[in-house]
Amino acid sequence: MVKINVPFLQTGSLVAGNRLLDEQDRAVASWQNRESSLTTGHRACQGCAEALGARWVLDTAYDCADGKLMVANATGCLEVFSTLYPESGWKLPWIHSLFANAASVATGMVAALAAKGDTETRVVAQGGDGGTVDIGMACISGMFERNDDVLFVCYDNQGYMNTGVQRSGATPPTARTATTPPVGPHPGQAFGQGKFMPLIAMGHEIPYVATASVADLRDLERKVRTAMSYRGARYLHVFVPCPLGWGSESGQSIQIARLAVRCGLFPLIEAVNGELVGSTKIRDRVDVMDYLKPQRRFAHVVAGKDPEQLAGLRAIAEKNIRRYRLLEGFGPSTESSNTESSNAESSNAESSNTGPSVEPPAGRDETTGPVTTEGGVA
Amino acid sequence: MSAVPVNLTAQPTTAHPNLANVDIGRATGPGTSAVYHTGGWRTERPVYVDLLPPCSAACPASEEIQAWLYEAAEGSDGYEHAWRKIVEVNPMPAIMGRICYHPCQTACNRVQVDTQVGINAVERFLGDLALERGWSLPAPKQETGKRILIVGSGPAGLSASYHLRMLGHAVTVREAQEELGGMMRYGIPEYRLPRDILDAEVARIAATGVTFEVATPVTDLPAACTEFDAVLIAVGAGQGAHADIPAIDAKVLDAVTMLHDTAAGDAPLLGRRVAVYGGGNTAMDAARTARRLGASDTVIIYRRTQAQMPAHSEEFEDAVLEGVRAQWLTTIKDVDHDAIHVERMELDANGRPVPTGEFDEVHADAVVLAIGQNVDLTLVENDDAIDVTDGVIGINESMMTGRAGVFAAGDAAPGERTATFAIGQGRIAAHHMDAYLMGGEFTTPERPNQVPFSRLNTWYYSDAPEQVRDTLDAARRITGFEEVLHGLTETSALFEARRCMSCGNCFECDNCYGMCPDDAIIKLGPGKRFEIDLDYCKGCSICATECPCGAIDMVPETR
Amino acid sequence: MTTSDTGVQLLEGSQAVAQAISRARPGVVCAYPISPQTHIVEALSAAVRKGTLPHCEYINVESEFAAMSVAIGSSAAGARTYTATASQGLLYMAEAVYNAAGLGLPIVMTVASRAIGSPINIWNDHSDSLSQRDSGWLQLFAADNQEAVDLHIQAFAIAEELRLPVMVCMDGFVLTHALELVDIPSQDAVDAFLPPASDIHAEMDVATPGTVGTMAGPDIFTETKYVSYQQHVAAHDVVEKWGQRWFDTFGRDAGGLVRLYETSDDGVVGGTKVPAASGKVRGCDPNEIVVIAMGSTLGTMQAVLPELADEGIRVRLVGITSFRPFPDALLREVIGQARRVVVIDRAVQLGIGGVLTGEIRRALYDSGASVHPVAAGLGGRPITEKSLAELVRQASRGELDVHLNWMDLRHDVVDAAVEASARATAEGVGSAAAAMAEGDSGRPVQRAERVTVETPADDSGRPGQRAQRATVETPADDSGRLSQRAERATVETPANQETEK
């Protein structure tokens, strides 16, 4: 029987894989022969979304780089739980130097590869939000402005979880941390503080900046593939709930990440050369309260101790929705992530297999531009 | 690069300076964290389960609907796999894909996401495909030498004959009518079930070795019991019920007779104006048939409201499309040669219709009574061993009547009077008869718990409303008995099959495997599903939460 | 003996080092500018741009911390890697300095030695490099620019054999900006001397994936330190070996652990690398005075030796080439029966003594010699021949203290500061050191102002505080101002430093 083109709608691309798709059209995370860059036996907490996000990102990047991938990791949970001597959870070349310098170490690796004439091996640097938006900021900014050929991935769990859940520059307003306790007239993290690193990355006009969430695997993998299709500095900011730090059930990690996207507090966006080129449409919008409820770090907000706090968070969601056009969505994300019109033989394949639908940049220098088929994105 | 052993006695000179660098290699081996078994952290463990989806739970014929939709969703060879799955219980998918009132769809969890899965349409697609491709039913098991008589060739009789034949018995079906099919032929209008479809599926059963004898009423049960090792009474409800309505010089007939005669090629003359009395599906069939027989004004008279009407709404909608009118809250008092005297009703506080004392007249050339159907039980009425209560034969839990070796199923036995129920009963009766003949006991396999909607993670099901099927133009409908509802194209059938959410049954979406933060799920390969690697599973339950179809349970760790 | 293509040239120290680094063919050079290292990295960036240093990536980083971090990544990925820094820069990268050693990465770094602030000071002493003495790096000190060239090339060989980073320390300005006659080995000669860069072990390699930099718990941390300790023990032989190879290849004494300078019978003074193999060195007799120093001071001291010899003062000048590993055994052999050991210390342990002295005392703990620490040349204070000669004379007369002696201390300034401090203390605030750090030279009048400044009566006093500070930072006397501006201004014109040489 001839294989026919049927709109593929059962679960669309929202699940990791689908037996009805060809293996290469499924998410890398669903491949039986996936790399599992971060393998079993690591000591991450139950339900750690960072462990999950890191495996997704690196497995995809590994595929894009045809197995030639090296990683520099900042100090933090991810490093500690994966590499307690004499064991390691990493199945690819991986280095941890310091908290603040993952981006620079990656630059060094890229430079060494260039010096050795190796144009195939790719380098990813990664860290938590502390190692990115706070202590790692200078090194990342330097790597960005030099446009070094590094993909920097921030796994944002909105605080210093490794040291016992202290506030970071990525902690959202009202959130309880060990250093922003839920006491006093304005409990939790204050409004008007913190930073959104993707916008700072965009300020460097690097080839590619995107946010992603463990709640949307396909979107995440597409963005990693897009990022890997560029040369030069790239930044991916991945939202990874932390059951321990957020006071949520371990099984709820992905649900909570999904609610963060659906309520508008975490926008899924993409930018090329500093220009916003796309946002993922919110599917089935929910109220901010739905996102807060399963997290004890927001218990005081849910309890309504200071009604202005909820209003403040809603205002942030509204602003995101306005600013990034999240209710309609635009750009490359809209086609791939929302599956209503996708098609087994075309759209899904497109979403996972081709580079950015936006033209790659002309480049700030000759090294910037899409990687062609050698990059493993055939 | 090699791991550096800690050697306190050696005086390293150019040894690797950093012990804390680990050689990891490609997969497992010294240095990999895989030597550390995080499974010890677990207080709950995930367990894959296969739960009963609501569609299967609702199917009177016990079709494993989710299972065959799973096969059908594969397309290609999957269609035949799906069809074979259906005919394990129901040998007539093309028929049931047309006339079943699909309680499965009513139960479908997808209703709460967008719209129900068009299960019935997919079944019809598969049934038609099977006829088109000539797929045959399985070969019977080894012959047992047991001889069985089945009285009646309706859905119950056909189903039982097929299953008994599959079990290796010699089966004879005796049909009183000229042609096979029972109420499917004489009760369901052709525009709903084309006769070539009926004939083809019956012929396919005959091809398994069932002997059919038509125009052979069974009238002597003791004789039959002598001739055969067991008998199944599967007589349909082929007699119309009669209301005590005074009628003077008026054409009053019952719907069953009208439909029977129409099917038998002896359509009654009804005149221009026809009133159908009743609100069930047979009333709808009668009204729509009347339109096709030339009645320009057909009105349904029903004593309750539209909402209380037992007929399926799509049947009524089709009737309206075809020009049938309805008069609610109305009872017929009497009928004379050109008018029906009716009384207006109203609902009391309990929603029951009560007379208002207001009367009216409806002009009609014929009145068709569609107020109930009875089974002709003359075969057993003189048998003391067999109990008949409320118009049906009493049977025990093995579906046997008071007379050993005589069983009853379908309309003749207690229960729902639908073809689907009859098919299910026929199958169950067949197994009981087999047990009776061969020794042993047939027990219905225990079914797992039904999966409630709340177990599903519906986020993963993209919005995909049910496929709309083409229908015959209303103008063309009343000119004949051409089938009204068209089948699905392959594209839309496949689409529809893929809308199934696979409630409570793994469909290999890879979510658990993809989303395990601990890489503790092993993917076993296509069709083989997954396995939890308990050495590493920390019991976080993300797999269970993110399983779209609720096929993973978290159970307390008993270690 | 000339080993170069071009013969002996008159070159600025920084240029000479840059040429030497180029000859070593590094794959990656990364640096952040800081005086007095700048000329080295400027020259290297130009060499990369011009193509005279091919297959090399020059990375302009945003901080010294990034410089060392890039070096870590580069070295881990198997490239021969070089960086350079000084002073505050070395401290700013300190976390990564330790890390590079812990990871076992053969990075070579020049420290153009410079004082550490505060008070900020751009001139030479050894407080920067010696602050990193326990970082796990090897630390080699160049006495002159020829040795700087020779040590840098050897450093790559030593680092790569040991898989440990090596710091080559050369005195800021005094060497980096000084013109000297230097012989740069030819490319072919260096290629023949150094193992090929392609032999460098790449910790990060996709062909052999491994994990670098795991967390070591209490169960293993001690063992890692033990292994590192033994590495440094083993490093003695390796440093010595490559120094000997250098001599064998180029016929020039350079490198090794210790260098001796003696007045020969014909009055000629020359430095000789001491072979590590013991028994070849004459130990001092009890009447000889031993002077121990590191870096450019050795050159100044050499000039004094004939004069002192004429006076009948027998001096053995000992240069510490390898501060890490520290040549304890060799020193004991060299010192022999000497009763007086003078240590020229260019970095001070406050309230304790000299940093180098501490090492010497440990090495000579049972020799019976009196060790006399002398704080000298701090923050660029010239170490003059006159002062050195006088120091040795004092030593010969037994006038030096075993506690820290301060060469050329300006007692008038100190006394005034102490006096001011005493007053301020009476009023509850201030210290002599703080007073000097503020650059006011301890003038009593300004002390009184500071008192009011630091205890504003109310909020309204705050603007006043700023204004007062501004006044403090621009004293009538120029010396304070110069230190504020010197960072940039003097870099361009280090003439005063060079003339001193």
Side-chain angles (χ1 to χ4, degrees):
Chain A
M1 195 181 293
V2 181
K3 192 173 182 183
I4 56 167
N5 256 9
V6 165
F8 179 69
L9 285 158
Q10 179 192 42
T11 51
S13 59
L14 298 173
V15 288
N18 197 307
R19 71 184 203 284
L20 302 173
L21 286 175
D22 289 338
E23 184 96 336
Q24 68 270 18
D25 293 334
R26 306 182 199 179
V28 175
S30 77
W31 295 359
Q32 196 169 7
N33 64 345
R34 72 181 183 208
E35 171 69 3
S36 288
S37 312
L38 179 56
T39 188
T40 52
H42 64 70
R43 288 152 162 89
C45 302
Q46 290 154 317
C48 174
E50 186 178 39
L52 181 57
R55 197 187 71 222
W56 284 355
V57 167
L58 293 182
D59 279 2
T60 309
Y62 181 90
D63 182 54
C64 294
D66 204 16
K68 295 191 170 72
L69 187 70
M70 308 200 302
V71 181
N73 207 125
T75 309
C77 285
L78 182 58
E79 166 260 326
V80 171
F81 73 60
S82 63
T83 59
L84 183 56
Y85 182 89
E87 294 142 16
S88 169
W90 301 99
K91 287 164 69 182
L92 33 65
W94 181 98
I95 185 169
H96 160 248
S97 172
L98 297 168
F99 200 176
N101 71 355
S104 299
V105 171
T107 290
M109 293 196 286
V110 166
L113 294 168
K116 294 200 277 189
D118 181 345
T119 56
E120 293 180 340
T121 302
R122 307 295 301 272
V123 176
V124 170
Q126 58 185 11
D129 50 294
T132 302
V133 313
D134 288 346
I135 199 171
M137 184 91 168
C139 287
I140 293 169
S141 178
M143 184 274 279
F144 282 170
E145 62 85 7
R146 290 187 301 269
N147 201 24
D148 296 330
D149 187 21
V150 173
L151 168 60
F152 192 98
V153 186
C154 169
Y155 303 104
D156 177 10
N157 56 20
Q158 305 191 329
Y160 291 94
M161 303 320 185
N162 191 40
T163 45
V165 195
Q166 294 84 14
R167 171 213 184 272
S168 82
T171 301
T174 77
R176 172 202 74 185
T177 70
T179 50
T180 57
V183 294
H186 305 295
Q189 160 75 343
F191 280 95
Q193 298 187 357
K195 49 188 149 177
F196 189 52
M197 187 68 182
L199 289 181
I200 297 171
M202 285 165 64
H204 291 74
E205 310 239 326
I206 57 175
Y208 187 70
V209 173
T211 62
S213 168
V214 287
D216 196 338
L217 167 63
R218 292 303 193 108
D219 185 67
L220 178 143
E221 285 197 2
R222 185 184 60 76
K223 284 166 175 168
V224 173
R225 285 191 186 281
T226 306
M228 292 298 286
S229 73
Y230 288 101
R231 291 281 185 174
R234 291 142 289 143
Y235 179 70
L236 185 64
H237 190 103
V238 186
F239 188 86
V240 291
C242 168
L244 179 79
W246 295 11
S248 52
E249 294 297 322
S250 63
Q252 292 292 311
S253 293
I254 292 179
Q255 292 272 40
I256 288 169
R258 188 178 299 129
L259 291 168
V261 173
R262 288 171 66 189
C263 75
L265 281 179
F266 190 78
L268 295 175
I269 58 171
E270 284 179 281
V272 170
N273 286 341
E275 190 183 349
L276 196 67
V277 299
S279 73
T280 304
K281 180 182 174 182
I282 290 178
R283 177 175 182 254
D284 199 4
R285 185 181 174 190
V286 296
D287 181 53
V288 165
M289 190 58 118
D290 294 332
Y291 166 67
L292 305 180
K293 274 181 183 164
Q295 306 177 52
R296 284 199 297 281
R297 64 173 174 156
F298 294 118
H300 53 285
V301 185
V302 174
K305 286 184 181 160
D306 175 5
E308 283 179 19
Q309 290 199 315
L310 179 59
L313 290 172
R314 281 183 174 142
I316 292 170
E318 287 297 341
K319 184 179 178 185
N320 284 340
I321 286 168
R322 224 168 36 241
R323 185 177 199 171
Y324 305 112
R325 295 156 58 190
L326 299 178
L327 290 184
E328 61 269 30
F330 70 105
S333 321
T334 48
E335 289 142 35
S336 66
S337 176
N338 201 327
T339 56
E340 284 172 36
S341 60
S342 45
N343 172 299
E345 275 73 34
S346 60
S347 293
N348 271 300
E350 197 176 302
S351 65
S352 57
N353 259 0
T354 57
S357 41
V358 174
E359 273 301 300
R364 304 196 308 182
D365 65 57
E366 58 275 17
T367 62
T368 302
V371 179
T372 48
T373 47
E374 306 87 77
V377 285
Chain B
M1 183 155 71
S2 61
V4 179
V6 180
N7 186 345
L8 295 181
T9 55
Q11 295 285 311
T13 51
T14 57
H16 198 298
N18 189 0
L19 277 180
N21 293 351
V22 174
D23 177 23
I24 194 73
R26 275 249 68 78
T28 57
T32 173
S33 62
V35 301
Y36 184 72
H37 288 184
T38 51
W41 303 9
R42 193 174 55 240
T43 57
E44 281 187 312
R45 71 162 69 184
V47 175
Y48 289 101
V49 292
D50 280 292
L51 300 178
L52 183 63
C55 50
S56 301
C59 180
S62 300
E63 286 190 16
E64 291 182 36
I65 292 161
Q66 172 274 329
W68 62 254
L69 284 174
Y70 175 93
E71 300 286 358
E74 302 268 357
S76 203
D77 293 345
Y79 299 137
E80 185 169 349
H81 298 148
W83 181 81
R84 297 217 166 272
K85 194 97 192 147
I86 296 172
V87 300
E88 284 174 17
V89 292
N90 166 22
M92 297 169 282
I95 295 171
M96 298 315 298
R98 287 173 165 81
I99 65 170
C100 179
Y101 288 116
H102 43 72
C104 52
Q105 293 185 200
T106 310
C108 178
N109 275 329
R110 182 137 203 151
V111 174
Q112 296 176 65
V113 174
D114 39 42
T115 52
Q116 63 196 13
V117 175
I119 298 166
N120 189 241
V122 180
E123 182 174 26
R124 167 170 165 180
F125 168 79
L126 296 169
D128 287 354
L129 195 66
L131 294 175
E132 184 189 316
R133 304 243 161 102
W135 296 335
S136 45
L137 294 168
K141 282 206 275 190
Q142 198 178 352
E143 299 292 340
T144 63
K146 301 291 184 189
R147 302 185 68 248
I148 293 165
L149 173 67
I150 293 173
V151 184
S153 68
L158 287 171
S159 169
S161 72
Y162 163 72
H163 288 288
L164 286 163
R165 183 69 200 116
M166 287 299 108
L167 292 164
H169 305 300
V171 182
T172 300
V173 178
R174 286 187 180 150
E175 170 57 55
Q177 300 288 334
E178 299 289 324
E179 291 186 81
L180 298 168
M183 293 303 290
M184 296 190 295
R185 181 178 301 275
Y186 295 106
I188 293 175
E190 190 172 359
Y191 61 83
R192 286 215 283 133
L193 175 58
R195 299 306 183 231
D196 56 337
I197 299 293
L198 175 60
D199 293 341
E201 292 214 313
V202 170
R204 200 169 53 202
I205 293 171
T208 65
V210 173
T211 303
F212 288 103
E213 296 171 9
V214 294
T216 315
V218 179
T219 52
D220 186 346
L221 188 57
C225 289
T226 310
E227 187 182 352
F228 295 94
D229 299 312
V231 176
L232 176 68
I233 300 170
V235 181
Q239 293 181 333
H242 289 265
D244 189 18
I245 298 171
I248 303 155
D249 187 23
K251 189 165 183 67
V252 177
L253 66 167
D254 70 81
V256 178
T257 307
M258 171 202 169
L259 294 170
H260 175 277
D261 292 354
T262 305
D266 185 20
L269 293 171
L270 296 170
R272 197 174 53 82
R273 298 168 302 180
V274 176
V276 177
Y277 191 35
N281 289 314
T282 306
M284 303 303 137
D285 285 344
R288 295 174 68 188
T289 298
R291 288 285 287 148
R292 284 167 174 78
L293 293 176
S296 56
D297 181 16
T298 306
V299 61
I300 288 168
I301 295 173
Y302 182 52
R303 65 196 192 103
R304 298 169 189 254
T305 62
Q306 179 175 358
Q308 292 167 317
M309 183 175 66
H312 294 280
S313 59
E314 60 259 38
E315 291 286 329
F316 176 68
E317 283 157 19
D318 272 332
V320 170
L321 257 178
E322 292 165 12
V324 174
R325 294 186 298 118
Q327 209 164 313
W328 312 115
L329 288 169
T330 307
T331 54
I332 296 179
K333 302 308 289 181
D334 59 60
V335 183
D336 65 23
H337 67 279
D338 76 342
I340 307 167
H341 298 109
V342 297
E343 182 176 4
R344 292 257 167 244
M345 309 292 279
E346 62 183 12
L347 295 182
D348 67 10
N350 297 319
R352 273 194 291 263
V354 291
T356 59
E358 291 173 36
F359 294 91
D360 201 356
E361 244 182 37
V362 174
H363 295 282
D365 301 319
V367 177
V368 181
L369 301 178
I371 51 179
Q373 285 153 253
N374 297 322
V375 182
D376 179 358
L377 292 175
T378 47
L379 178 63
V380 297
E381 64 191 1
N382 295 322
D383 191 326
D384 294 341
I386 296 176
D387 167 60
V388 174
T389 307
D390 293 338
V392 290
I393 299 169
I395 51 174
N396 65 12
E397 61 278 4
S398 299
M399 299 187 71
M400 193 155 73
T401 65
R403 177 173 292 284
V406 177
F407 296 75
D411 292 348
E416 203 184 305
R417 283 186 176 172
T418 66
T420 319
F421 185 77
I423 285 175
Q425 289 294 95
R427 180 181 63 85
I428 294 166
H431 286 288
H432 284 304
M433 292 170 82
D434 178 65
Y436 168 78
L437 293 171
M438 307 304 290
E441 193 184 350
F442 172 69
T443 49
T444 317
E446 201 167 310
R447 300 180 105 180
N449 292 334
Q450 191 174 329
V451 56
F453 182 74
S454 58
R455 256 189 92 106
L456 305 183
N457 187 336
T458 55
W459 171 261
Y460 291 103
Y461 301 104
S462 48
D463 307 328
E466 187 180 0
Q467 292 292 279
V468 175
R469 296 156 76 180
D470 283 346
T471 53
L472 192 62
D473 286 345
R476 282 182 59 200
R477 293 186 186 184
I478 55 170
T479 60
F481 283 83
E482 194 178 332
E483 188 168 24
V484 168
L485 190 55
H486 293 177
L488 294 174
T489 61
E490 185 184 355
T491 304
S492 47
L494 199 51
F495 181 104
E496 204 56 34
R498 290 175 177 186
R499 289 183 66 237
C500 172
M501 302 197 295
S502 195
C503 305
N505 291 269
C506 173
F507 60 100
E508 296 184 26
C509 74
D510 295 318
N511 253 15
C512 53
Y513 172 69
M515 294 183 179
C516 174
D518 299 303
D519 197 19
I521 292 181
I522 301 162
K523 181 170 178 170
L524 300 173
K528 297 175 184 162
R529 297 187 171 181
F530 309 90
E531 200 173 274
I532 306 291
D533 191 339
L534 291 171
D535 282 347
Y536 303 107
C537 169
K538 295 171 186 161
C540 73
S541 85
I542 282 182
C543 55
T545 314
E546 300 306 320
C547 176
C549 64
I552 302 176
D553 262 348
M554 294 302 295
V555 302
E557 185 56 72
T558 52
R559 184 177 36 237
Chain C
M1 175 183 168
T2 297
T3 54
S4 69
D5 306 327
T6 51
V8 174
Q9 314 164 64
L10 187 63
L11 281 175
E12 188 203 40
S14 295
Q15 299 297 330
V17 166
Q19 288 192 26
I21 296 299
S22 285
R23 297 283 196 274
R25 301 186 189 274
V28 175
V29 175
C30 48
Y32 184 78
I34 182 168
S35 300
Q37 144 266 36
T38 45
H39 291 187
I40 303 173
V41 296
E42 287 165 8
L44 285 168
S45 74
V48 171
R49 282 290 173 98
K50 284 187 288 193
T52 54
L53 174 48
H55 310 297
C56 178
E57 298 290 311
Y58 185 91
I59 311 291
N60 280 298
V61 289
E62 72 282 359
S63 73
E64 285 88 359
F65 177 70
M68 184 48 62
S69 300
V70 168
I72 287 169
S74 159
S75 186
R80 184 169 282 166
T81 303
Y82 172 79
T83 184
T85 189
S87 183
Q88 313 298 137
L90 184 61
L91 292 198
Y92 198 65
M93 68 165 64
E95 187 191 13
V97 169
Y98 273 68
N99 189 253
L103 292 173
L105 300 173
I107 299 162
V108 170
M109 172 164 68
T110 304
V111 174
S113 303
R114 169 184 149 181
I116 291 171
S118 172
I120 189 168
N121 172 295
I122 66 161
W123 294 280
N124 169 230
D125 67 25
H126 293 165
S127 55
D128 53 0
S129 45
L130 295 189
S131 75
Q132 301 299 303
R133 61 183 180 269
D134 297 327
S135 64
W137 285 58
L138 271 59
Q139 294 183 309
L140 306 178
F141 279 76
D144 53 36
N145 283 341
Q146 183 64 61
E147 193 172 37
V149 165
D150 297 351
L151 285 180
H152 273 99
I153 295 169
Q154 290 182 39
F156 284 106
I158 295 166
E160 287 160 21
E161 177 171 339
L162 286 168
R163 291 202 212 162
L164 282 178
V166 177
M167 201 180 284
V168 180
C169 308
M170 61 190 292
D171 290 345
F173 293 119
V174 180
L175 293 181
T176 56
H177 289 57
L179 289 164
E180 287 181 356
L181 285 169
V182 179
D183 169 41
I184 308 289
S186 70
Q187 186 65 62
D188 288 347
V190 175
D191 285 347
F193 180 80
L194 283 180
S198 58
D199 284 0
I200 295 174
H201 174 77
E203 297 277 0
M204 296 291 285
D205 183 354
V206 292
T208 55
T211 292
V212 178
T214 66
M215 168 173 265
D219 58 327
I220 194 67
F221 193 80
T222 304
E223 286 68 25
T224 66
K225 290 299 146 189
Y226 176 86
V227 170
S228 298
Y229 180 95
Q230 296 298 349
Q231 288 254 271
H232 272 254
V233 171
H236 288 81
D237 288 348
V238 177
V239 171
E240 173 58 29
K241 178 179 83 180
W242 285 99
Q244 188 59 44
R245 279 194 195 168
W246 187 265
F247 181 81
D248 295 343
T249 307
F250 298 106
R252 193 155 60 225
D253 240 338
L257 299 162
V258 173
R259 240 174 145 182
L260 292 184
Y261 302 82
E262 284 181 315
T263 321
S264 63
D265 293 342
D266 56 3
V268 175
V269 175
T272 313
K273 182 172 63 60
V274 178
S278 55
K280 294 184 184 171
V281 183
R282 175 186 70 81
C284 290
D285 63 57
N287 294 324
E288 279 178 295
I289 292 172
V290 176
V291 177
I292 302 178
M294 297 197 294
S296 61
T297 311
L298 291 164
T300 317
M301 189 66 209
Q302 278 182 69
V304 185
L305 291 184
E307 180 187 338
L308 291 168
D310 290 347
E311 295 172 21
I313 302 174
R314 293 174 58 211
V315 176
R316 170 174 269 194
L317 177 59
V318 177
I320 305 293
T321 306
S322 173
F323 185 78
R324 286 289 181 269
F326 197 81
D328 288 31
L330 202 53
L331 266 182
R332 277 197 294 276
E333 217 172 305
V334 165
I335 272 56
Q337 303 297 312
R339 308 299 298 275
R340 285 177 186 152
V341 176
V342 179
V343 182
I344 311 296
D345 235 315
R346 306 203 56 197
V348 174
Q349 302 183 69
L350 298 178
I352 295 170
V355 175
L356 179 57
T357 304
E359 307 284 336
I360 303 289
R361 281 202 166 126
R362 188 199 61 250
L364 304 182
Y365 70 99
D366 60 352
S367 77
S370 296
V371 178
H372 304 284
V374 181
L378 303 185
R381 173 70 57 85
I383 298 176
T384 62
E385 293 179 12
K386 181 170 171 254
S387 297
L388 281 176
E390 184 51 32
L391 187 73
V392 175
R393 287 185 195 108
Q394 284 180 300
S396 71
R397 294 195 298 266
E399 292 171 6
L400 281 182
D401 204 334
V402 291
H403 299 294
L404 189 59
N405 300 277
W406 294 79
M407 181 188 272
D408 299 340
L409 183 68
R410 290 172 61 190
H411 288 281
D412 54 336
V413 174
V414 174
D415 292 348
V418 168
E419 185 193 338
S421 173
R423 282 196 198 187
T425 307
E427 294 174 50
V429 181
S431 73
M436 290 175 69
E438 289 292 330
D440 63 5
S441 304
R443 279 191 298 276
V445 178
Q446 293 200 1
R447 288 266 57 76
E449 284 172 2
R450 278 181 58 89
V451 172
T452 51
V453 162
E454 296 198 358
T455 52
D458 55 24
D459 277 358
S460 64
R462 284 216 175 122
Q465 177 182 6
R466 292 222 171 147
Q468 295 291 357
R469 276 197 185 277
T471 317
V472 168
E473 285 169 5
T474 51
D477 152 3
D478 240 358
S479 65
R481 243 179 107 198
L482 186 57
S483 25
Q484 300 297 326
R485 296 177 48 194
E487 174 85 353
R488 278 167 186 78
T490 332
V491 173
E492 318 302 337
T493 53
N496 56 335
Q497 298 292 334
E498 282 170 20
T499 47
E500 183 254 324
K501 181 75 178 116

